[in-house]
Every structure is written in structure tokens, then in C-alpha cells.
């Protein structure tokens, strides 16, 4: 039985945490690659002006003629902004630093919170036969992040295994609640994934216990380990699944993809 609360089309997940350096872009790239490896058609929307997801998949800055900025503010066609990658099942809408001015330009638009929602629901999207869209949000709770939450069905929150990790999540939860109340009542939390986890470190264990005590079943069972291969992969413009397919990081992201799909199947039953 299909989920009656989920609109027709791909599952849209915003990957968000207003704190930088938590593994947000890394998770977007590698979770997307793992989902694609499992046979899904996946689109990454790079909504971060830093454009790291685009660089991490080999889209050079000089080769980004049309970007998420054009999609949101210049009504450029989807076919012009969606780019292929080395993986046939993995597509991306790249970004550039131009997106950093979008907040100011969006503010005067009466549909400012719904521009990404409208863009991702164009009829032309059907031709891509997507199963998932993952939105790599900027490290702030600005209008771009709000656009992502309004457009998404759910929010996935990477949580770095370090002191004060949960403090930023409380503010993010408030933002999610506000978006539910004002623009997207069906928005839910996909889950919290612990990143840069070091099982040898007592701090990582303490952060995990704290997260599970406070957030319960929202925390994925899969933990993403601190792994040098995960850190190296972006410099070679590829997901860690391709860079070192047997590394602990690659295995963890495959496990996370399977857990996410299992949770989705359970929700739809």
C-alpha cells in the first residue's frame, strides 16, 4: 500500500544542519551515491553557495552555466540546470557563489518560500523518473534552507559526534516546527545520523547516548565513522563508494541507504 500522505513523484529529503563541518555535504553525496548504487535514480540539489557537492561530483566551477540560482530566480528550464555525473543513476543541479545573494533577492518575492517547491514539481521532472531528491542545504537557517524544507517531504540531520552537538539541533527543530505550522504541515524528520563517529573515543559514545536518550527512534542505527577515505574522496571528485569501495566509510553509507529505504517501506505499509 502506498503512503497516502506522500505526493506522487520522488521522495524529497532536505539534508540540513545550520552548523558547518558536521558532514552535511559528505552525507548528501555519499548517501545519494549509495541509493543510486541500489538502483534508484537520484538527484542532488546543491543549495549551498559554497558548491561543495557540485565540486565533489566533478562539476567544475567554470562549467556551471546554469545553477540553482537560475532555477530559483531566473525561471531556467530543468533540462538546462540538471547535470549528469559519472554515475548514470546520479544527477545534480549545481550551485555557485552567486547563490549567496539569493536571500536578499528572495526577500522581495511574495512566493519566496515556495520557489524551490514549484521548481521541483514542474511537469518536466517526470521525464527524469527520479526516486529520490536530496537537497544539500547551506549551513544556516536562512531563506534557502526554508525553501528546502517547504519543498521536502522530510529532513535528514547529520549530527557530528562532538561536544554541544545537540545544542544546534534544538534550533533546527524549532525551524522545522515553524515550517510545519506555516507552509508544509506534512514535513517530518527523516532521522538524525551520527557522523565522524569514533568508537574508540569515549566522547563519541557519550554523544550517541545523549542523542538516543533525547531523540529516541529518530536516530539512525547506522553511524558514519571518522574515516580518512571519506575525507579524501572529494579531492578526487568522487563519492567514497567509488574512491575506495571497501572502506569503512563506503560500507557505512551503503548501510545508511538500506536503513533509510527500509524505514520508508515500513512507513508506507
Amino acid at each position: 500500500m502506498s503512503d497516502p500522505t506522500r505526493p506522487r513523484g520522488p521522495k524529497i529529503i532536505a539534508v540540513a544542519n545550520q552548523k558547518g563541518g558536521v558532514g552535511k555535504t559528505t552525507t548528501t553525496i555519499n548517501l545519494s551515491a549509495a541509493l543510486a548504487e541500489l538502483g534508484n535514480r537520484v538527484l542532488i540539489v546543491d543549495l549551498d553557495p559554497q558548491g561543495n557537492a557540485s565540486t565533489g561530483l566533478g562539476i567544475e566551477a567554470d562549467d556551471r552555466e546554469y545553477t540553482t540560482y537560475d532555477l530559483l530566480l531566473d525561471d531556467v528550464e530543468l533540462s538546462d540546470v540538471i547535470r549528469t555525473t559519472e554515475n548514470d543513476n546520479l544527477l545534480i543541479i549545481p550551485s555557485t557563489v552567486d547563490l549567496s545573494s539569493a536571500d536578499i533577492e528572495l526577500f522581495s518575492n511574495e512566493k519566496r518560500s515556495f520557489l524551490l517547491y514549484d521548481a521541483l514539481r514542474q511537469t518536466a521532472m517526470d521525464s527524469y523518473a527520479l526516486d529520490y531528491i536530496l537537497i544539500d542545504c547551506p549551513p544556516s537557517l536562512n531563506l534557502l534552507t526554508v525553501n528546502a524544507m517547504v519543498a521536502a517531504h522530510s529532513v535528514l540531520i547529520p549530527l557530528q559526534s562532538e561536544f554541544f552537538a545537540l545544542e544546534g539541533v534544538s534550533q533546527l527543530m524549532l525551524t522545522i516546527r515553524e515550517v510545519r505550522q506555516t507552509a508544509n504541515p506534512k514535513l517530518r524528520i527523516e532521522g538524525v545520523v551520527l557522523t565522524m563517529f569514533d568508537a574508540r573515543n569515549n566522547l563519541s559514545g557519550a554523544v550517541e547516548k545523549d542523542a538516543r536518550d533525547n531523540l529516541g527512534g529518530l536516530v539512525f542505527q547506522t553511524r558514519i565513522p571518522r574515516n580518512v577515505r571519506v575525507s579524501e574522496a572529494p579531492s578526487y571528485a568522487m563519492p567514497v563508494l567509488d574512491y575506495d569501495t571497501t572502506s569503512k566509510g563506503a560500507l557505512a553509507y551503503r548501510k545508511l541507504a538500506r536503513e533509510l529505504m527500509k524505514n520508508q517501506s515500513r512507513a508506507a505499509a
Side-chain angles (χ1 to χ4, degrees):
M1 179 187 295
S2 62
D3 182 356
T5 66
R6 182 183 159 193
R8 181 179 62 85
K11 173 74 175 287
I12 305 175
I13 303 173
V15 183
N17 190 326
Q18 75 273 22
K19 188 175 182 198
V22 300
K24 178 180 54 61
T25 298
T26 299
T27 294
T28 301
I29 292 174
N30 291 300
L31 176 58
S32 296
L35 289 168
E37 190 177 81
L38 290 169
N40 298 286
R41 291 272 291 172
V42 185
L43 170 68
I44 292 175
V45 179
D46 192 346
L47 207 61
D48 187 342
Q50 297 175 88
N52 290 336
S54 307
T55 304
L57 286 174
I59 311 295
E60 296 295 335
D62 293 340
D63 195 30
R64 302 173 199 173
E65 182 178 0
Y66 296 111
T67 66
T68 43
Y69 176 92
D70 302 296
L71 183 68
L72 292 175
L73 294 163
D74 288 341
D75 295 323
V76 172
E77 297 293 326
L78 276 169
S79 58
D80 290 326
V81 294
I82 292 181
R83 300 287 303 275
T84 57
T85 71
E86 292 295 319
N87 186 324
D88 290 340
N89 278 337
L90 183 57
L91 307 170
I92 187 168
I93 300 177
S95 80
T96 63
V97 71
D98 290 347
L99 200 58
S100 59
S101 66
D103 245 33
I104 298 170
E105 297 178 56
L106 287 170
F107 192 76
S108 60
N109 191 314
E110 61 182 21
K111 294 188 70 177
R112 56 184 173 268
S113 297
F114 289 85
L115 294 176
L116 186 60
Y117 176 98
D118 291 340
L120 295 182
R121 285 164 176 82
Q122 294 179 37
T123 304
M125 187 64 81
D126 294 342
S127 65
Y128 292 94
L130 296 170
D131 298 293
Y132 290 92
I133 298 175
L134 270 67
I135 307 170
D136 186 29
C137 297
S140 60
L141 296 177
N142 58 13
L143 265 174
L144 290 173
T145 301
V146 170
N147 259 267
M149 291 184 183
V150 172
H153 302 127
S154 62
V155 181
L156 188 151
I157 306 169
L159 185 70
Q160 187 178 1
S161 303
E162 64 168 21
F163 276 122
F164 309 124
L166 288 175
E167 288 191 358
V169 173
S170 60
Q171 181 59 48
L172 181 58
M173 296 291 192
L174 288 175
T175 301
I176 293 171
R177 184 184 304 171
E178 289 173 9
V179 171
R180 277 183 185 146
Q181 292 172 345
T182 59
N184 185 2
K186 294 180 180 178
L187 181 67
R188 68 181 188 85
I189 298 171
E190 188 69 35
V192 175
V193 58
L194 292 163
T195 61
M196 305 177 201
F197 189 89
D198 187 346
R200 302 165 300 178
N201 188 325
N202 289 336
L203 176 58
S204 287
V207 171
E208 179 178 19
K209 183 179 185 304
D210 199 13
R212 295 195 189 281
D213 287 347
N214 284 278
L215 301 171
L218 288 177
V219 183
F220 281 97
Q221 291 302 310
T222 304
R223 305 170 304 192
I224 307 301
R226 187 177 293 278
N227 179 243
V228 67
R229 296 304 196 193
V230 172
S231 302
E232 290 173 350
S235 64
Y236 291 88
M238 61 178 67
V240 70
L241 284 79
D242 297 326
Y243 175 64
D244 188 344
T245 190
T246 61
S247 65
K248 290 182 179 179
L251 297 176
Y253 277 111
R254 288 190 182 100
K255 185 177 178 182
L256 178 63
R258 290 193 297 270
E259 184 177 353
L260 185 147
M261 291 178 67
K262 182 178 178 181
N263 290 348
Q264 182 179 332
S265 297
R266 187 183 300 126

